[in-house]
Amino acid sequence: MAKIPPGVGPRFPQVVLLFGATGDLARRKLLPGLYHLVSAGFIPGCRIIGVSLDEITADAFRTLTRGALDEFFQRKVTDRDWAAFAQSLDYVPLAAGPAALRAAAERAEATFSGESRRLHYLSVPPSSALAAVRMLGEAQLVERSRIVMEKPFGTDLASSVALNSKLHEVFAEEQIFRIDHFLGKEPAQNILAFRFANGLFEPIWNRMFIDHVQIDVPETLGLGKRSAFYEQTGAYRDMVVTHLFQILGFMAMEPPTSLEPQPISEEKNKVFRSMLAIQPSDVVRGQYNGYRDEPGVDPQSETETFIALKCYIDNWRWAGVPFFLRTGKRLAEGQRIISIAFREPPKSMFPPGSGVGAQGPDHLTFDLADASKMSLSFYGKRPGPGMRLDKLSLQFAMNDTGLLGEVLEAYERLILDAMRGDHTLFTTAEGIERLWQVSMPLLESPPPVRLYEPGSWGPKSIHQLIAPHAWRLPFERAWRNPNKTGS
């Protein structure tokens, strides 16, 4: 087993209380993630107590966990590691109440020889979150603990303020970790490294050189069993406030005084404070044909399954630069990109027909998939006589480094950070409330939804929204395959 660098994992053994332990997220991500962190030695000791509505035994929870690993874990599960991990698992049904929960936590802590910490992970619907918080308070499990909250963090400004107020009755803000798995991905953090570790790009990371920015997260997936939840939420609440705006904050923030959680959070919050309110005239809402036939959906539903919008950051660095955000279900491709379009030269000395300007501005593009890629496009001369220009690109893929196997899955990284008390990749109460505040004009007067065909790129009016620019997706040229010889 590889030696874990110091400071990567928590200092103390951890007791994890996993609410919603039999749910889909726990099975797909959290239990496999915890198994990897424990078996790879990232955590110096760990006990996991599953909590849910299901009236099952600890042995049944172990069987469920092994099934989750067999189905969703991407690495090999060894008999030795599984036997050790299985011994760390316990289970308490919700109906057993706070006393049983506290007793299970005390039993787990008694297995450690020294000091330990608690991590409460609330993988539960928003309607159940506060009940779980109250139960933890009644069980007297707040001390020495941190709590991870899943989105959405409210549905508007009033509900967000109310939720934070109720949370703060039990947990202090520094104990609360509002999770956004987009920020846990290696590429999102690579934006910080790219900007602040390189002298080439930071000097031009502003309105003088950047024309516009696109943050584009189309999805090919439908809603599956989430249609009833989605009907109450929609694409804007589900994806933009909690994911795309957070990516925007990383991309647009000023250099922090240090790469510590507090300075980074403060710079992100400054971006949010500088955002202008989202105007309904700068938004396209869409709904794919067939959504209203989904189970749990109103036949006259006006819930959007697609959203595209234009927003502005009204500060010295970004004044006048439009940020275009797009996401939706049942679209043509599944991608996660940030694409930065640079201003074109003020004057061209190239002859007519040379091709300069014909393929749009130069772009710097980040692919936010787990196996991250970057591309920088530019014009270059076509070989041969005359002056003909083609769009070329420099591309980098994580595969090129040979380190792809060391990439932690997003939830794994964020669980580790929460155990360490590192808020860098989590949002704050102030930040989330400010984002709801700038969202209120849209939420109070949303434009009507426009229908689009599944497998398309959304309603046709998205092209008027971004004009005179063009959407970066679909790409005119595909990412090069790093495994292909001669690429």
Side-chain angles (χ1 to χ4, degrees):
M1 184 183 299
K3 181 176 175 59
I4 305 302
V8 172
R11 289 174 54 206
F12 300 104
Q14 304 284 317
V15 174
V16 178
L17 278 76
L18 178 56
F19 285 75
T22 60
D24 189 61
L25 177 62
R27 291 176 56 251
R28 287 177 177 273
K29 296 292 185 182
L30 305 180
L31 291 168
L34 285 164
Y35 171 81
H36 180 223
L37 294 176
V38 171
S39 60
F42 283 98
I43 308 173
C46 188
R47 300 290 181 270
I48 299 161
I49 303 168
V51 186
S52 83
L53 290 168
D54 294 312
E55 294 278 348
I56 61 173
T57 64
D59 282 339
F61 180 54
R62 293 184 185 104
T63 301
L64 178 148
T65 301
R66 181 58 198 248
L69 295 180
D70 292 340
E71 187 173 358
F72 299 113
F73 190 57
Q74 301 298 313
R75 298 173 172 89
K76 180 177 174 59
V77 178
T78 68
D79 291 340
R80 178 181 175 183
D81 286 343
W82 165 247
F85 188 71
Q87 288 299 310
S88 75
L89 299 175
D90 197 359
Y91 185 83
V92 176
L94 269 172
L101 194 63
R102 179 168 180 80
E106 288 176 343
R107 283 197 306 273
E109 290 172 341
T111 64
F112 301 129
S113 58
E115 199 174 341
S116 63
R117 297 287 185 270
R118 303 159 181 157
L119 182 75
H120 310 310
Y121 198 117
L122 271 53
S123 176
V124 297
S127 57
S128 305
L130 286 177
V133 169
R134 286 193 295 272
M135 185 175 184
L136 289 167
E138 292 167 9
Q140 298 180 327
L141 293 174
V142 175
E143 187 183 357
R144 293 183 288 108
S145 75
R146 298 176 176 118
I147 183 166
V148 179
M149 307 285 296
E150 282 282 346
K151 69 176 179 75
F153 313 117
T155 55
D156 55 20
L157 179 58
S159 62
S160 177
V161 171
L163 173 63
N164 286 327
S165 176
K166 292 290 186 184
L167 278 174
H168 292 153
E169 289 177 6
V170 182
F171 290 92
E173 177 64 19
E174 58 267 22
Q175 293 178 283
I176 302 169
F177 291 76
R178 298 169 185 81
I179 196 167
D180 173 13
H181 71 273
F182 269 50
L183 293 187
K185 293 179 177 297
E186 198 77 36
Q189 297 156 76
N190 211 10
I191 296 169
L192 294 180
F194 191 85
R195 283 189 61 187
F196 302 132
N198 298 299
L200 180 61
F201 287 99
E202 180 55 26
I204 60 172
W205 208 267
N206 57 59
R207 61 187 174 85
M208 302 298 292
F209 298 94
I210 292 176
D211 184 76
H212 66 277
V213 177
Q214 296 180 35
I215 301 175
D216 211 350
V217 186
E219 297 180 286
T220 57
L221 298 174
L223 297 173
K225 298 177 182 178
R226 297 179 68 229
S227 52
F229 160 78
Y230 205 82
E231 177 67 1
Q232 306 301 317
T233 308
Y236 186 82
R237 290 179 171 93
D238 185 47
M239 288 291 291
V240 176
V241 175
T242 49
H243 292 326
L244 273 63
F245 281 160
Q246 301 302 324
I247 293 290
L248 182 151
F250 257 35
M251 185 269 160
M253 71 186 210
E254 295 296 318
T257 54
S258 68
L259 286 180
E260 296 295 321
Q262 184 79 19
I264 289 177
S265 291
E266 177 56 27
E267 295 304 336
K268 272 178 59 187
N269 285 343
K270 284 182 184 176
V271 172
F272 300 150
R273 288 197 292 269
S274 299
M275 286 178 66
L276 297 178
I278 308 300
Q279 298 304 313
S281 58
D282 289 334
V283 177
V284 174
R285 297 169 69 238
Q287 185 186 93
Y288 65 78
N289 271 320
Y291 170 75
R292 294 173 182 174
D293 300 326
E294 304 269 10
V297 173
D298 184 339
Q300 280 81 46
S301 174
E302 287 292 304
T303 298
E304 79 280 356
T305 60
F306 170 97
I307 190 112
L309 62 93
K310 175 169 58 177
C311 64
Y312 292 93
I313 300 169
D314 192 26
N315 64 13
W316 193 268
R317 183 181 290 263
W318 297 112
V321 176
F323 288 74
F324 298 99
L325 280 57
R326 175 173 64 170
T327 187
K329 303 290 186 183
R330 302 288 301 274
L331 296 177
E333 292 180 27
Q335 294 271 3
R336 295 171 179 174
I337 71 159
I338 302 173
S339 195
I340 298 157
F342 292 98
R343 294 192 183 278
E344 298 192 59
K347 182 175 173 58
S348 173
M349 72 284 289
F350 294 94
S354 65
V356 68
Q359 297 181 57
D362 300 337
H363 282 88
L364 175 64
T365 302
F366 295 88
D367 182 351
L368 298 181
D370 287 324
S372 60
K373 297 187 282 268
M374 278 184 277
S375 170
L376 178 63
S377 68
F378 55 92
Y379 283 102
K381 183 184 177 299
R382 183 185 299 179
M387 184 57 74
R388 291 281 297 165
L389 296 156
D390 284 328
K391 204 73 164 181
L392 309 173
S393 70
L394 296 170
Q395 293 189 11
F396 160 81
M398 186 65 71
N399 285 323
D400 299 337
T401 66
L403 299 174
L404 189 59
E406 297 187 21
V407 173
L408 283 179
E409 202 275 338
Y411 279 99
E412 295 172 359
R413 176 179 300 278
L414 292 169
I415 288 170
L416 266 189
D417 284 353
M419 287 178 173
R420 293 168 51 227
D422 185 339
H423 277 89
T424 303
L425 302 176
F426 299 84
T427 192
T428 63
E430 176 192 343
I432 203 71
E433 288 176 14
R434 172 58 185 167
L435 291 174
W436 285 121
Q437 185 180 10
V438 302
S439 301
M440 290 314 296
L442 171 62
L443 298 180
E444 290 171 348
S445 302
V449 293
R450 301 169 184 265
L451 296 179
Y452 64 94
E453 290 302 316
S456 71
W457 284 99
K460 295 287 189 287
S461 50
I462 61 170
H463 301 296
Q464 283 94 39
L465 175 71
I466 202 170
H469 315 296
W471 290 101
R472 185 77 170 133
L473 288 174
F475 283 131
E476 295 173 5
R477 63 187 64 77
W479 292 99
R480 288 195 287 272
N481 183 351
N483 301 314
K484 186 176 179 181
T485 303
S487 62

